[in-house]
Amino acid sequence: MDRVAIIGASMTTFGDRDAWVRELLAEAGDAALRDAGVDGDDLDHLYVSNMASGEFEGQTGVPNALAHDLGALGAYTQRVDQTSASGGAGIYAAWQSVASGASDMTLLVGGEKMTHKTTGEATDVIASLTHPVEYKHGVTLPSFAGLTARKYLDEYDAPRESLGQVAVKNHRNGVDNPHAQFRKEVDLETVLESPIVADPLRLYDFCPITDGSAALLFCPESVAEQYADDYVVVSGIGGATDTHVVHERDDPTTMNGVVESSDIAYEMADRGPEDVDFAELHDMFTILEFLQSEDLGFFEKGEGWKAVEEGVTDRDGDLPINTSGGLKSKGHPLGASGVAQAYELYVQLLGDAGDRQVEGDVGLACNVGGFGNCVTTTILEQP
Amino acid sequence: MSFDAHRCPNGHVTYPGHTRCPECGEEQTETVDLADRTGTVVTWTTSTATPPGVREPNHLAIVEFEVQGESVRALGQLTTADGVEIGDDVEPVYEEELRDPEAGIREPDSQAWDGYRFEPV
């Protein structure tokens, strides 16, 4: 079977941007087309990963707007919303479009504009994904993280400091990412003394609110060399859901969507967790990096925290995690984040990651929506 | 107001109810009121960054109840977090309005806003 290649990629600067969602999407989409030297009218399909442009700024119908702005009129367009995992779900849709033969050239652009809202308002837009019996109690995604972190620390005798080490590591990585929202190291003491947000988690256990966009350009591998000297292939991809109501999970410290989506992706790629050289995980909250690193099979259940403490997941460790700085320091513009994870794998695999370059030819990205409600796992490799 | 969990003919219990039982796919045909039962704290948090219309700080817990050998869990506000620990017993206490329905993004008429907080025993 002809595999699906990624021949171009881009991301905008993440952070507090003046641009609105249409402009952010156009900036990233234009840059990805330029990266591969492809024109807008070469696109058969155009996908936009976005959670809530209507709720955030009263702008709907963004895929059509983007097609017009990029000179891609005539292309089939579609918005992909899978909340925080919209980017990963967009990769799945774009991969399907090429793998099925429906499209020979697909552009995926993910983006979100959020920083014009107060923290409370933005938190409420995101919390609107919850079930009515959760929403009425004022539950937020950060409070799910607090509930889960307490359970994890209690169950596996993990020290509170180990969560802080995730923030320290990912901030350290973000310093070398020119697109990151925060390019500043933090020490463990700062993390542990920052204000409580959802006990036992504190401000530095959480990603910021962010504007930004990222894009990927897909075509069949058989024609990739016509466009690009260097490209990567999507060797495995899988998506899965877990309960909508978070308290209905048997084990609050296991994300079944991560387990099931990665099983599918590993099987497709004919790979296992031991073959992964580096990974981008959805560290919207520090605790999520532990849960995913275990549920992806990198470490035993309840032992992910030890790997972080021992430096295994550092940039110079055996399995670097979040070389981009992760959502924690790079920022988390909802619909863009899953696309930006794959952008990091792409530049790492091409050897274009500059000061944050690591060695390896197999990268994995895990994009989590809700609190593990819907998950996409993607494996990218050198051809 | 009752605090209804939902049960299918195979004895699986969920809160809230679903169109089909998540465990076996059967229709849920019975309800079980949790309001007069004692539950156990599975985990808890105090949230300080709360959305519009939500009390601050907001103490929340996931609580587990036993219903004829099946366990069922519910998330809800705690009346207080003072001294609360995992494994503590709590009882449901009715509250007319858990957050201001007019202040958040959700359409006020689309759901109920009353329910049960958990009070440490």
Side-chain angles (χ1 to χ4, degrees), chain A residues 337-359:
Chain A
S337 286
V339 183
Q341 287 180 320
Y343 169 82
E344 177 69 12
L345 300 185
Y346 173 87
V347 295
Q348 289 285 359
L349 290 167
L350 261 50
D352 290 340
D355 290 340
R356 64 184 196 284
Q357 184 68 49
V358 294
E359 291 293 313

Side-chain angles (χ1 to χ4, degrees), chain A residues 7-216:
Chain A
I7 56 169
S10 71
M11 69 178 281
T12 70
T13 300
F14 277 14
D16 189 346
R17 299 284 309 267
D18 291 332
W20 296 88
V21 72
R22 260 189 50 241
E23 300 161 294
L24 290 166
L25 294 169
E27 181 186 337
D30 179 60
L33 290 173
R34 283 178 198 279
D35 185 37
V38 167
D39 290 331
D41 63 8
D42 292 334
L43 297 178
D44 292 328
H45 286 201
L46 171 60
Y47 294 85
V48 173
S49 294
N50 172 263
M51 173 175 170
S53 66
E55 292 81 352
F56 277 121
E57 63 178 80
Q59 173 72 64
T60 60
V62 283
N64 171 237
L66 184 62
H68 200 170
D69 285 342
L70 292 180
L73 294 177
Y76 166 75
T77 62
Q78 184 183 313
R79 171 177 154 175
V80 182
D81 165 24
Q82 189 75 282
T83 66
S84 279
S86 299
I91 296 172
Y92 197 99
W95 168 80
Q96 273 185 312
S97 74
V98 174
S100 68
S103 168
D104 287 326
M105 188 64 72
T106 295
L107 179 66
L108 165 68
V109 189
E112 210 83 38
K113 168 69 177 171
M114 307 168 70
T115 59
H116 57 292
K117 294 288 188 188
T118 64
T119 300
E121 288 168 342
T123 305
D124 195 36
V125 170
I126 300 167
S128 71
L129 67 86
T130 58
H131 191 283
V133 302
E134 297 173 314
Y135 186 80
K136 71 181 178 182
H137 286 279
V139 76
T140 57
L141 277 292
S143 51
F144 283 133
L147 289 161
T148 306
R150 183 181 307 285
K151 183 72 182 162
Y152 183 96
L153 297 179
D154 182 72
E155 188 103 5
Y156 303 114
D157 284 328
R160 171 64 186 86
E161 290 75 11
S162 62
L163 287 163
Q165 293 288 4
V166 175
V168 171
K169 168 180 70 73
N170 292 350
H171 270 269
R172 195 190 304 134
N173 288 343
V175 170
D176 291 323
N177 186 345
H179 300 296
Q181 183 164 5
F182 298 132
R183 301 187 63 190
K184 189 167 144 267
E185 288 201 41
V186 294
D187 58 26
L188 189 59
E189 197 181 6
T190 305
V191 177
L192 297 177
E193 289 177 2
S194 61
I196 285 181
V197 171
D199 190 43
L201 299 181
R202 293 167 182 267
L203 185 64
Y204 275 95
D205 288 295
F206 297 90
C207 69
I209 291 169
T210 310
D211 309 323
S213 181
L216 301 165

Side-chain angles (χ1 to χ4, degrees), chain A residues 120 124-125 128 130-133 135-138 140 143 146-147 150-151 154 196-199 247-250 252, chain B residues 14-16 18 42-48 51-52 58 60 73 75-77 98-99 104-106 111 113-114 116:
Chain A
D124 195 36
V125 170
S128 71
T130 58
H131 191 283
V133 302
Y135 186 80
K136 71 181 178 182
H137 286 279
T140 57
S143 51
L147 289 161
R150 183 181 307 285
K151 183 72 182 162
D154 182 72
I196 285 181
V197 171
D199 190 43
H247 67 244
E248 289 195 66
R249 295 172 195 169
D250 293 336
Chain B
T14 71
Y15 173 79
H18 298 277
V42 175
T43 185
W44 65 274
T45 190
T46 294
S47 168
T48 55
N58 192 25
L60 295 160
R73 290 177 181 175
L75 173 134
Q77 296 177 356
L98 293 161
R99 68 184 282 181
I105 191 172
R106 188 155 292 171
Q111 69 162 83
W113 301 94
D114 63 341
Y116 285 84

Side-chain angles (χ1 to χ4, degrees), chain B residues 3-66:
Chain B
F3 185 1
D4 284 341
H6 295 254
R7 184 158 52 190
C8 74
N10 293 321
H12 305 127
V13 189
T14 71
Y15 173 79
H18 298 277
T19 307
R20 296 183 183 193
C21 172
E23 193 84 19
C24 65
E26 293 279 343
E27 190 184 346
Q28 296 181 317
T29 48
E30 286 177 71
T31 59
V32 181
D33 191 358
L34 303 175
D36 295 325
R37 294 168 191 256
T38 301
T40 312
V41 173
V42 175
T43 185
W44 65 274
T45 190
T46 294
S47 168
T48 55
T50 59
V54 176
R55 65 181 184 160
E56 188 179 341
N58 192 25
H59 312 295
L60 295 160
I62 293 176
V63 170
E64 186 163 81
F65 296 88
E66 287 292 318

